[in-house]
């Protein structure tokens, strides 16, 4: 049985509407997550203080954050945080 052309166009239209709605929701969520991460990174010095091991050796907040991201094991999230970190610093 062949699908009538008008049903094909209607289905494509419904699909396009659904994709656009999903895109709008994803865009808002993406912007909120980026804003939260930017705020976190801007307050990083307060949240994750640097460590002075000796007068010559100091571990920065950024090094601590990078190591924590490695241990987290989520490469996509780590890339997002590091990308925002580069923008902020």
């Amino acid at each position: 049985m062949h699908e009538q052309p008008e049903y094909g166009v209607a289905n494509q239209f419904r699909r396009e509407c659904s994709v656009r709605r999903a895109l709008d929701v994803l865009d808002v969520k993406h912007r909120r997550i980026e804003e939260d991460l930017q705020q976190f990174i801007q307050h990083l010095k307060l949240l994750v203080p640097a460590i002075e091991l000796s007068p010559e050796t100091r571990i920065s907040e950024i090094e601590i954050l990078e190591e924590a991201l490695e241990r987290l094991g989520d490469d996509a999230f780590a890339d997002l945080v590091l990308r925002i970190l580069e923008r902020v610093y």
Side-chain angles (χ1 to χ4, degrees):
M1 214 193 244
H2 293 282
E3 188 175 312
Q4 292 181 359
E6 55 273 356
Y7 291 129
V9 172
N11 286 337
Q12 289 175 353
F13 178 75
R14 276 191 229 103
R15 178 184 174 94
E16 182 63 24
C17 289
S18 295
V19 169
R20 287 182 184 206
R21 276 193 302 269
L23 176 63
D24 289 343
V25 171
L26 288 170
D27 184 50
V28 168
K29 185 54 97 174
H30 182 256
R31 280 187 272 128
R32 285 183 186 165
I33 289 170
E34 282 206 355
E35 289 171 4
D36 287 346
L37 288 172
Q38 284 178 359
Q39 185 178 19
F40 166 72
I41 290 169
Q42 289 171 346
H43 295 102
L44 191 59
K45 290 184 186 287
L46 299 171
L47 300 169
V48 181
I51 301 171
E52 297 235 5
L53 301 174
S54 69
E56 304 87 29
T57 309
R58 182 173 188 266
I59 300 174
S60 72
E61 302 85 0
I62 295 171
E63 290 172 317
I64 293 169
L65 180 61
E66 288 172 343
E67 185 174 336
L69 286 168
E70 284 178 24
R71 291 183 187 185
L72 186 61
D74 186 341
D75 293 337
F77 182 72
D79 289 342
L80 175 62
V81 172
L82 292 173
R83 190 178 75 221
I84 293 170
L85 184 66
E86 288 174 1
R87 271 193 258 150
V88 173
Y89 280 93

